Amino acid sequence: MAPSASRGSRGTHPTLTARTLPLRWSVLRHRRRLSALCGLLAAAATVLALRPVEGESVAVLTAAHDLTASDAVDGSAVTVRSVPPALVPAGALPSDADLTTARLNAPVGEGEILTVARLSEPAAADYGPDLVAAPVRIADPGVAELVAPGTRIDVLATTETEVGLSGGGAAVVASDRLVMTVPDAEGATGGDALLLVAVTEDEARALASSAVDGRLSVTIRSR
């Protein structure tokens, strides 16, 4: 019986080979097409994996038009745009960012996403909230020798019509403000002395206006 089983077993090989040979030849004949198809499937899977979820986006601030470094970045200068998360750069400003006192440190092109790297801190930011650096040119250059960075001063304005009047008053334009720097006296013009003072934006405008209409002086506060 064993020999018969053995012959029966050997007798099945030709039948199995005959059945599998056509499939093998078919695979070999179309292997290039199958390889290309596998490559396409792998690429499609990669795209699907990287594609953001439908509808997912991030609201960011972009430049509404070309901006120079001296342009303000609030109001009509910026616009809100929704972009896919993958396109949002590091440090991008959110749509609700407060740009009231923001300033650019370089030009920005239309449509560019604004980032913290594009903004510069106000020059007087370290001296207090909402302060800016304002140049104060005073009539008496000798006063500049009495002040130094950190000195607290009051800035007074006197109009030209008041200068020659006895008892003429002087209005306080900025009160109890810190001197940031005292530029080199060699840079002074017309015998005036220049100070850089940390003031509010309203005080800075008043100082600029007073410098045109009259002259400025300072009183030194005790520390």
Side-chain angles (χ1 to χ4, degrees), residues 2-222:
S4 176
S6 176
R7 286 194 301 271
S9 177
R10 287 194 301 271
T12 60
H13 287 294
T15 302
L16 292 174
T17 302
R19 291 177 180 176
T20 57
L21 276 177
L23 179 59
R24 292 180 180 178
W25 281 113
S26 178
V27 171
L28 290 175
R29 186 168 63 252
H30 299 291
R31 65 182 182 274
R32 292 185 178 179
R33 294 181 181 177
L34 290 173
S35 177
L37 179 60
C38 290
L40 290 175
L41 290 175
T46 302
V47 171
L48 290 174
L50 295 177
R51 188 180 65 182
V53 179
E54 186 176 355
E56 183 179 358
S57 62
V58 178
V60 295
L61 288 177
T62 63
H65 52 80
D66 291 344
L67 300 173
T68 67
S70 60
D71 289 335
V73 288
D74 57 355
S76 61
V78 298
T79 185
V80 178
R81 178 183 171 192
S82 295
V83 298
L87 299 181
V88 178
L93 298 178
S95 59
D96 59 350
D98 183 8
L99 301 178
T100 304
T101 60
R103 294 292 183 272
L104 295 173
N105 56 25
V108 176
E110 179 179 355
E112 181 176 339
I113 298 175
L114 298 178
T115 66
V116 293
R118 286 296 196 186
L119 303 182
S120 59
E121 290 291 339
D126 294 335
Y127 292 83
D130 302 325
L131 295 183
V132 297
V136 176
R137 194 172 294 280
I138 56 179
D140 186 357
V143 175
E145 300 178 2
L146 304 177
V147 299
T151 301
R152 305 196 74 90
I153 62 173
D154 293 339
V155 184
L156 297 84
T158 305
T159 63
E160 293 293 345
T161 56
E162 294 173 337
V163 172
L165 299 178
S166 59
V172 177
V173 183
S175 177
D176 194 18
R177 294 305 180 188
L178 276 170
V179 174
M180 297 172 58
T181 59
V182 182
D184 193 338
E186 293 181 359
T189 60
D192 295 343
L194 182 64
L195 308 176
L196 197 62
V197 184
V199 298
T200 66
E201 290 191 358
D202 288 341
E203 290 171 337
R205 285 189 287 268
L207 286 168
S209 176
S210 299
V212 173
D213 298 335
R215 64 181 186 180
L216 300 176
S217 59
V218 301
T219 58
I220 302 173
R221 285 177 171 262
S222 58

